[in-house]
C-alpha cells in the first residue's frame, strides 16, 4: 500500500542523512516538503484507498460544456474509469469528440468511461417507488455497478401496492445492502427496512408536487422512519447512495 | 324539519298581512326581523341539522377552569349530550361538582355528558400506528362513538410491521370509513388506503422528535400519499377526524 | 367476487392433494405459488374492488410523450376506461393516433377514454373560489364524473362575496359530499362546512403570489379550519379529491 | 405647535447674532447645538405630534419587575397617561405600591394610568373570532379607547357561523375602521372586508395547534386575503392594531 | 342609496299584499326572491358602496389573453372605469382592438380605462426604497390615483441613505396616509413610521436575492416593526396597498 | 433458520392431507391459518432475523412510568436482552423493583437488561464533536455494543480543531463503520468521510442555539456533504445510528 | 475633509450675519437650507468618506439594459471608477458603446470602469470550496481589488480534501482578512477560522441541490460555526464580502 | 513564536541524526511523533496565536453545574483569564467556592476570571436597539473588553427613533469596528452602516414575538441589508460578535 511506501520514502531521507549523503538542511527541506507532500500525497493515496475500484467522479451540474470537456479530457488521461454525473444530453457529442470511448447513459444522466471494468462481487439492491424516480435510481445503480457491485434492480414497487414487495423479499435478503429510492410520500424505505434485515440507504427524490416541496416531504418521512436500519442521503442524490452502498457491499464481501 | 317550519312562519306573516290582521309596517317589521332571526334561527336550526346526533362540543385548550365550568353548565341545561375536548384532568372535580353526571375519559382527554345516547349504526374503523398516538386515536373514536357510530379500534399497527395489517383487512373492509392515526413517518394511512377501498381520514400526530418538527413530517407524508382515497386533518385533530368519519358513516347508512 | 373464487382455487388444490391427484410436492408448489399469486392476484382483484367503477389512472407529469403513449396504449387494450392526469396539450395528437377514441379535456388537463361509461348515481358538488382554480376543480369534477357520480359545479364563489353562497345552499345540501377548491386565502371550504352538513374535501390550489408560497397558505388555512367536517388533500390535487368524493358518494348511495 | 416654536428659537439666535448680542462663535455653538437638540427636540416634539392623545407605552414582556417599576414610575412623573402592555399579573401589587392610581386590565394584560382621559371621538370596531382571541382583541380595544376612540366590541363571530355577521353589518358600517382579530384559520378579516367598505386591520393570533404553527397559518391567510381593504399586523399584536386604528379614526374625524 | 331603495322595494311587496294586489303566495315568492336577490343585489350595491369611486378591477395573472379580453370587454360595457392588474405587455394590442380607449401603464403593469375620472381629494404618499421596487410602487400609486386620491411619489429613498428622508418630512406630514414599498431588508416603512404620525401601509417586494426568499425577509421586517402605526400587505401587493390607502384617504377627507 | 422450519410446517400439513390424516377442510383451515400465522410468524421470525443479536428495544419518550414498567416487565420475561431508550432517571427505581437486574446508563439515557451478552466482533467507531453531544453519541455506542460490536469512542473532536483528527486516522481506518455525531454546524461527518474510506453514519444533534433551529442546521449540513460515503439519520437519533452501524459491522464481519 | 469645509460654510453665514451683510431672515433661509443641504451634502460627503477608494457601485439584477446604460453613463461622467454587479453578458456591447473604456469581467459578472486605479495596500485572501463558487468568489475578489486591496486567491479547497489547506496556512496568516466562499455543506469558513487567527467573512453560495434549499443549508452552517472569528453575509453576496473585507484591510493598514 | 521554536526542535532531530547521536530509526520515531505532536502542538500554539489576549472560553449552556466546575477549575490552573458564557446565576456560588477570584456578570450571563488584565488598545462600539437586547450586547462588550478593546456602549437607539443616532455619529466614527445588536425588525445595523464607514458586525437577537420566529426575522433583515459594510453572526451570539470585533480592532491597532 501507498501509505507503507510513503513511510519508506520518509525513512530513506533519514538514512541518507545518517549516511551524511545529505546535509541536515537538505534533510529538513526534504522532510518538510515530505510533510506537506505527504499530506498531498496522502490525499491522492488515500483517495485511491477511499475509492478502491471507484471511478473518478465529476459533478457536471452548473458547469459549462467547455469546463466539462477540459476536466474530463485531463482526467481521462490519468484514470481508466470516469463517471460524470448530472450531465446534459447535448454535451455528449462534444465530449465524445475528445474522448471517443466515453458512453452516455440517458436515464441516469451520466457519461461513463470504463476502460478497466472493476471485478464485480456481492450484490446491491436498488429499488424504487415510481417510474419518475428512475433517473435517480439508475444513477445509484450505475454508480455502484461501475465500482464493482452486482446490482439487483427492483423498480416501481411503491407502497400503494405494498404487497408486491413480498415476491421480492428473497432477492432483498440476498443483497448486502438496499438503496431505496422514493418521491411523493417516501414511505418505501421504511417499509422495506421493516421486512429485510439489511442496511437501507434511503434516497428521497424531488418527484411530487404541492406540499411535496421539491422533495422535503419524502426526506422528512425517511428521516422519521420508525424502522432503525435506515439512513438517508440528500434529495435526488443517487450517486451518493450508490457510492455508499458499494462501500458497504465491499465490506460485506471482505474487502476493507 | 326546522327549515320547513321556518318557511311556514314566514308564510304565516304573509297570510296575516293578506288577511289584514297586521299592517304592512308590522309585516315589514316581522319579516325583516325574520330575515335576521332567520339567519340566527337558521344557525341553530342548521347546526342542529349539521350535527344530527352529534353532541355539542367545547374546545377547552387555553380556557380557564372557570370559563369551562360556566360554558359546560349552561350548555348542559340546553343539550343532553356534550363533548369537551382537550381537557385537563385537574378540572374534572370542579366540573363534576356542577354537572354530576359528566364523565372523564383520561386517554382521550375528554369530558363527556351522554344523557340521551345516540342510536348506533354503521362502523368506523380507528387505527393507529403507535402507543403514543392513543390520545388522538381515542379522541377520534369517542367522538364518532358518541355521535352514533360503532367503532372498530385497531391500534399499534405501524408500518415497521406492516404485514400485521393483513389479519385486519376484513375488519377494515367491513367499516364504512377508516380513521388512520400516525406520528413519526406517518405512512400508515397511505398503506391502508392502498389495501382497502374505503375513505381514509388521515390524522398526523405530533409524536416524534428531531426532524419530525411537531408533526409536520407526518402531515406532509399524508398529504403526499400516492393512494388517492385519503384526506388529511390538522396535526393531533382527533376530534375533527372522528366528526368527519361519523358524517360519512351516517351517509353510508342512508341518513342524510 | 374474485376473492371468493380465489379461495375455491385454493380449496381445489387441497382436494386434488386429498385425492392424490397431485403429490404433496406439487401441492406445495401450487400452494406457495398461490400464496404469492394470491397476493399478486389480490392486488389486481382488490384494485378492482378498490376502484369499482373507477377508470384506470396515469399520472403524466414528468413523463415523456413516448412513455405516456406506451403506457396508455397497453392499458387501453386491457381496460375500457382510462384517465390520464396532468397531460400536456401537445401530446394529444400523438396519443390520439394510437388510441383514436381518446378525448382531451383542456381545462382539466386530462386525456379520457370512456368506452363503458359508468352508470351515474348520487351527487358530488364541486365548488371553487376563483376562475384560476378551474383546472383543479375540473380535474376533481371529471374524475368523479367518470367514476359514476353526478356533478354539481358551482364556480367562482370566493369568500370576498360570501353571501352568494346562500342561493346555492339547497344544491349543496342535495349533494352527498362537497369538493371545495380554493387558492389565495383558501377560506371557502371552512365557510361552506359551517353552513352545510356534508363532508367537505378541501383542495388548496397554488393560485396566489407572494406569501401564498405556492399554495402553502391555502393549505394551512384548510387544515386549521374551525369547522369539523373538513379534510384536506395535497395542493392542486383535484384528482385525489374527486376520487375520494366519489368513494363517499358511492357509500352514500348504498354501494360498498 | 412645537415645530413652530422651535423655528422661532432658531430665529431668535439669528436675531441675537444680527443684533450682535452674541458672537458668531456663540451663535455657531447655539445653532449647532440646536441642530442636534433640534433632532432630539424634534424627537420629543414629533413623538408628541405622532402620539396626539396616545398614552406613553411600555412593552413589558421580557423585562423584570424592577425594570418595569423603575420605568413606569419615572414616566408617571412626566406623563398623565401610560399604557404598559404584556404585563404579568403578579407584578401589579408592586407597581401599584409605587403608582397608586395605576389600574390592571387582566384580559388585555395591561397596566393603565389615565389621569387625563382623552376626549373620545369616532368609532373603532374591534371584532374577534373566538373566546381565546379575547386578550389580543382587548389589547387592541383598550389601546384605541385610551387614545380617544369609541370602541364597538363584537366578539365571538368566527366564520364557522359567518351568517351571524349580518346582524352586525350596520354597526360595522358605522365605525371608521375595523380591527379584526382571529386565530385558527384566520378567515374573519377577509370575510368582513368583503362586506363592509371600511379599512380592516387584521390581527392574527397564536390561538390554534398543530399546523397553525403559532399563528403562521392565520397570518398567511390574512396576507393572502382576496379582499383589498385589509392590512395585517404581527401575530398577537393587539396594541399595534389598536394604535393604527385610532390613527385612522382620528383622520376620519378630521384630526390631522 | 341603493340600500334604502331596496328596502322600499321590500315594502312595496308588503303594500301590494296588504292591498291584495298580490296573493300571499305571490308575495312569498317575491319576498323570498327578494331575500336572495337582496343578497345578490346587496352584493352589487354594497360593492358599489365599498368601491365608491374605485374602478372595477381584474387580476390578470394566470389568465389567458382570451379570458382577459372577454372579461374586460363585458365589464367595459357596464362600468366607465376599469383597472386590470398584473397584465402582460403583449396582450395590449389585442385588448385595445376591443376597447380602443383603454390605456397601458408599462411600469405598473396595468391596463386602465378611465372614462369618468374620479374627482380627486386628499393626498396619499407613495414612497419606495429602490428602483426595482417601482412596478409595485406605481401599481399602488395608480390604483389610488384612479380611485380619486392625489399622489405624492417619493422614490428611491432606501434606508442606506436614510437622511434623505428629512427633506421629505413635510410632504409626508401633508399626506393622509403613506404607502411604503421596499424589498431587500424592508426597513423603510418602520423608519418612516417613526418620523411621521400618519398610517403607514407597508408593502414588501420580492426584490432581493439569497436569504431574501422572494420577499419573506422584507415581509417579516415589516411585521416586526417597532413603530406601531404600520400594517402590512402581501408581498408585491401594490394594488391592495393603493386600495386601502385610498379608503383611508377618503375617510380623512370626510367621505364615508 | 426459522424460515426453513416454517416451510416444513407448511409441508407437514400437505403430507398429512396426502396421507388423509386430515381432511381438505382441516387442511384448508390449517393452511389458511398458516398463511396468516405465517405472516405473523414471519414477523417474529424475521424480527429475530432482522435483529440477530439485537436486544429488544422500547422507545420510552412520552410514555408514563406505568406503561414503561408494564412493557419492560412483559418483555423481560420473553427476551434476555432489552434496551429502553430516552428514559427518565426518576423511573429507574420503580423499574428496577420489577426487574432487579436491569441497569441504568445515565449519559445515554438508557435502561439495559443484558442477561445473555452478545459475542462481540468487529469495530464501530463513534466520534463526536462536542461534550454536549455525548448523550446521543453514547446512545449510539451502547446500542451497537449491546448488539455485539466493539466500540471505539473518540469524543470532542469538533472541526474547530480539525487537526486533532490526524492522530485518530488509524483508529478510524480500523473500524468497519463510523458513527459521527455533531450539533452546531455539523461539519464533522463530512470532514471524516473525506479522510477515511469507511461508511459514515451522520447523526445531527439538537445542540446549538439561534439559527440552529433545534438541529435543522446540522441536519442540512450533513445531507449536503460533498463527501459521498455518508448517510444521515434523524436529529438526535443515536439509537438508529448505532443499530445501523452494527448491521453494517455484522456484514463486514461476514455475518449475514 | 468635506465635513470640515461644510462647517466653515456654516460659519461663513454666521459671520455674514454678524457683519450684517445678510439679514436674520436671509441667514435663517441660508442656514435652514444648509441644514438640509447639509444632510444631502453629508450624504455625498460621507459616502465619499465611507467609500474611500471604493468605486461607485450599481446593482444591475432586475434592471433593463436601458436603465443600466443611463445610470452608468451618468455616473461615468462623475466618478472615475465604477463597478456594475450582476450584469448580463449581452448588455456589454451596448454599454461599451456609451462608455468605451468600460471592461467586462465574465466570471464575476461585473462591468468595471477603472480610470484612476486605487493604490493597493495590504492583502485580502479569497478562498473558495468548489469550481461552481467561482463567480461569487471572483465578485468578492475583484470588488476588494478595485477598492485597493491585494488579493490572494486560493480556490477549490473544499473540506472533502481539507488537508490541502495546510500548504496554504502561511498565505492565510499573511492576509489581514479572509473571505471564505462555499456552497453545498458550507463548512470551509469554520475550518479555516479554526486554523488562522484572522477575521473570516463567510459567503454561502446557492451552489447545491435538494436539501441545500438554494443556499440555506450553507448559510445556516456558517451562522452556526463553532469558531468565533466568523461573520456571514447573504447567500451569493460576493460584493458585500469583498467590500467589507477591504474595509477591514484598510483599517489593518492604518487607514481610517 | 512557538511555530519558530517548533521548527528548531524539528531541526534538532535532524542535527542529531547527522551527528549520528541518534539512529535513523530513533530519528524516524522522533520525527513521526513530532509530525503528530506538531499538529497537536500547533493546535495549542496556534490557539494561543489565534487568541492573543483572548481569555479561554467555556460555553456553559446545556452543561451541568458539576461539569462546569470541573472544566473551569482545571482551566483556571492553566490560564490566567477565563470567560464562561451563558451561565446560570445559581451556579455561581458553587463555582466561586472552587475559584474564589472568579466574578459574575449578571446582565451578560458570564463568569469572568481576569488575573492578568489585557492591555487595552483601540475602540469597539457596541450599540443596541432595545433594553431587552442588553444581555447580548453586554456579552459582546465584555468579551471584547476582556480581550483588550476599549468599549463604547451606546444602548437603546432603535430605528423607531433613528434621529437619535446623529448625536453619536462621531463616537461611531472614532471606533474601529461596530457591533450592532437588535431584535424585533433588526434594522439598526443597516442604518448605522449607511452612516458610518466602519465594519459593522450585526447581531440579531431572539427578542420579539409572533412572526419574529425567535430571531429569524432580525437575522434575515441583517443578511439582506443594502448597506455593504455588514456581516452577521448567529442569533443571540454576542460572544462571537465581541470576539470578531476585537480581532478587527487588533488589526486596526497594528497587531497581527
Amino acid at each position: 500500500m501507498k501509505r507503507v511506501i510513503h513511510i519508506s520514502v520518509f525513512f530513506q531521507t533519514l538514512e541518507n542523512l545518517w549516511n551524511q549523503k545529505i546535509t541536515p538542511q537538505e534533510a529538513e527541506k526534504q522532510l518538510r516538503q515530505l510533510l506537506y507532500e505527504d499530506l498531498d500525497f496522502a490525499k491522492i493515496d488515500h483517495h485511491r484507498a477511499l475509492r478502491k475500484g471507484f471511478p473518478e467522479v465529476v459533478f457536471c451540474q452548473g458547469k459549462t460544456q467547455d469546463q466539462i470537456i477540459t476536466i474530463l479530457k485531463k482526467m481521462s488521461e490519468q484514470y481508466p474509469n470516469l463517471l460524470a454525473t448530472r450531465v446534459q444530453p447535448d454535451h455528449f457529442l462534444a465530449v465524445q469528440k475528445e474522448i471517443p470511448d466515453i458512453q452516455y447513459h440517458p436515464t441516469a444522466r451520466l457519461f461513463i468511461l470504463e476502460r478497466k471494468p472493476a471485478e464485480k462481487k456481492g450484490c446491491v439492491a436498488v429499488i424504487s417507488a415510481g417510474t419518475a424516480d428512475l433517473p435517480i435510481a439508475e444513477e445509484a445503480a450505475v454508480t455502484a455497478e461501475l465500482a464493482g457491485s452486482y446490482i439487483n434492480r427492483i423498480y416501481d414497487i411503491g407502497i400503494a401496492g405494498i404487497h408486491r414487495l413480498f415476491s421480492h423479499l428473497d432477492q432483498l435478503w440476498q443483497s448486502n445492502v438496499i438503496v431505496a429510492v422514493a418521491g411523493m410520500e417516501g414511505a418505501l424505505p421504511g417499509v422495506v427496512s421493516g421486512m429485510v434485515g439489511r442496511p437501507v440507504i434511503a434516497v428521497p427524490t424531488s418527484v411530487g408536487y404541492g406540499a411535496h416541496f421539491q422533495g422535503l416531504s419524502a426526506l422528512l418521512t425517511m428521516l422519521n422512519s420508525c424502522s432503525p436500519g435506515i439512513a438517508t442521503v440528500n434529495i435526488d442524490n443517487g450517486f451518493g447512495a450508490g457510492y455508499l452502498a458499494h462501500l458497504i457491499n465491499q465490506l460485506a464481501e471482505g474487502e476493507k
Side-chain angles (χ1 to χ4, degrees), chain A:
Chain A
M1 244 222 289
K2 284 287 179 121
R3 293 213 299 170
V4 177
I5 294 167
H6 171 61
I7 289 166
S8 56
V9 172
F10 187 82
F11 194 75
Q12 188 67 48
T13 300
L14 299 187
E15 284 234 314
N16 289 343
L17 183 64
W18 172 263
N19 299 324
Q20 304 199 340
K21 289 183 182 163
I22 56 174
T23 63
Q25 286 72 14
E26 283 167 342
E28 191 200 345
K29 197 176 154 203
Q30 279 179 27
L31 286 166
R32 285 193 64 77
Q33 198 175 356
L34 197 59
L35 182 72
Y36 291 115
E37 269 185 12
D38 179 22
L39 291 165
D40 265 20
F41 184 73
K43 179 176 51 119
I44 294 166
D45 176 0
H46 112 102
H47 268 194
R48 289 289 83 206
L50 282 177
R51 304 198 166 192
K52 272 188 300 179
F54 277 98
E56 293 296 311
V57 180
V58 180
F59 180 73
C60 295
Q61 191 175 296
K63 298 212 173 80
T64 65
Q65 184 176 285
D66 283 355
Q67 289 175 315
I68 291 165
I69 290 173
T70 309
I71 294 170
L72 287 180
K73 188 149 179 51
K74 210 176 81 187
M75 294 182 81
S76 74
E77 288 154 9
Q78 285 185 276
Y79 306 105
N81 299 339
L82 291 180
L83 189 61
T85 66
R86 309 254 165 149
V87 302
Q88 293 177 38
D90 49 324
H91 291 172
F92 184 57
L93 283 187
V95 169
Q96 200 186 28
K97 210 168 153 187
E98 296 295 326
I99 315 171
D101 52 347
I102 204 162
Q103 291 173 308
Y104 170 46
H105 191 304
T107 309
R109 295 175 301 169
L110 299 169
F111 295 156
I112 300 163
L113 185 69
E114 196 182 14
R115 289 172 183 159
K116 289 194 190 166
E119 192 191 346
K120 289 192 175 45
K121 232 174 150 182
C123 183
V124 169
V126 178
I127 71 181
S128 76
T131 317
D133 302 321
L134 270 187
I136 305 307
E138 275 300 303
E139 195 184 86
V142 175
T143 297
E145 205 162 28
L146 282 179
S149 292
Y150 288 108
I151 305 300
N152 201 336
R153 287 167 170 88
I154 310 173
Y155 291 162
D156 221 354
I157 49 166
I159 69 153
I162 206 64
H163 40 271
R164 261 186 292 172
L165 266 176
F166 282 89
S167 48
H168 297 293
L169 287 180
D170 278 355
Q171 282 174 284
L172 294 172
W173 274 98
Q174 283 154 19
S175 308
N176 285 317
V177 54
I178 299 165
V179 173
V181 181
M184 308 292 279
E185 69 209 293
L188 181 65
V191 171
V192 167
S193 172
M195 295 196 292
V196 185
R198 291 286 174 264
V200 173
I201 304 168
V203 191
T205 72
S206 54
V207 172
Y209 63 92
H212 195 251
F213 299 125
Q214 285 78 53
L216 178 63
S217 170
L219 171 63
L220 293 182
T221 306
M222 293 171 187
L223 288 168
N224 284 287
S225 173
C226 313
S227 236
I230 297 179
T232 306
V233 297
N234 195 1
I235 298 162
D236 291 335
N237 188 4
F239 165 69
Y243 184 102
L244 178 55
H246 176 68
L247 214 54
I248 296 172
N249 186 37
Q250 269 184 325
L251 284 170
E253 294 299 317
E255 290 192 36
K256 289 177 193 180

